[in-house]
Every structure is written in C-alpha cells, then in structure tokens.
Amino acid sequence: SVAELRARARQHIELHLESPAEPGVFDGVPGVIAADAQGSVLALTVEGSGDPALKRAAARLVVERIVSRDHDLEDAFLEVYR
C-alpha cells in the first residue's frame, strides 16, 4: 500500500550545527542508515520515522537549522524490488 511505501521511504535530513559535526553521535540510533559530516553540517539518511534521530540531535547537539527532504514514492517502490 502507499502507506507502507511511505513508512519505508528514506528521508534525508541535514542538521546545521553550532560546531563541527560528529557523525558517531548517531551510531545505533534506530532508522539512521548513514551519517556523514562536512564541517558543521551533518547529513543523515533515515529509513522510517525520523523521531529517534531528531531526539538524539536535541539531546546531544546544538542545532541551528534543519533541512529535510523525502525520497519520492517511486524510489521507495523500487527499493522494495531490489
């Protein structure tokens, strides 16, 4: 169903931080499948809910700005059949 595809779809979340980013902060966070840093910008790829990642960020980092975008449904559909 479309709801199931949306639940599986990946989100890309950029956290613009006050200080240089440490991607290891997100090790073991449910749903976070990648974390990369460039200076004070941390790029996360999250599958499913972004809630655990955002809670970890709020608890351990000073976030100045959040930018988020979803994969489109076509990408999610194709992921099911790969």
Side-chain angles (χ1 to χ4, degrees), residues 38-71:
Q38 279 195 326
S40 63
V41 177
L42 193 93
L44 303 175
T45 302
V46 177
E47 189 171 78
S49 174
D51 185 59
L54 294 176
K55 285 181 178 171
R56 174 69 58 95
R60 299 201 182 168
L61 304 169
V62 177
V63 179
E64 294 181 339
R65 187 164 66 110
I66 299 172
V67 179
S68 175
R69 70 185 196 315
D70 292 331
H71 271 226

Side-chain angles (χ1 to χ4, degrees), residues 4-65:
E4 291 169 334
L5 286 175
R6 285 193 192 278
R8 293 178 53 119
R10 293 181 177 174
Q11 303 174 66
H12 296 284
I13 301 171
E14 274 186 11
L15 302 174
H16 296 254
L17 308 173
E18 181 181 71
S19 57
E22 291 292 330
V25 167
F26 293 91
D27 289 349
V29 174
V32 176
I33 58 174
D36 298 300
Q38 279 195 326
S40 63
V41 177
L42 193 93
L44 303 175
T45 302
V46 177
E47 189 171 78
S49 174
D51 185 59
L54 294 176
K55 285 181 178 171
R56 174 69 58 95
R60 299 201 182 168
L61 304 169
V62 177
V63 179
E64 294 181 339
R65 187 164 66 110

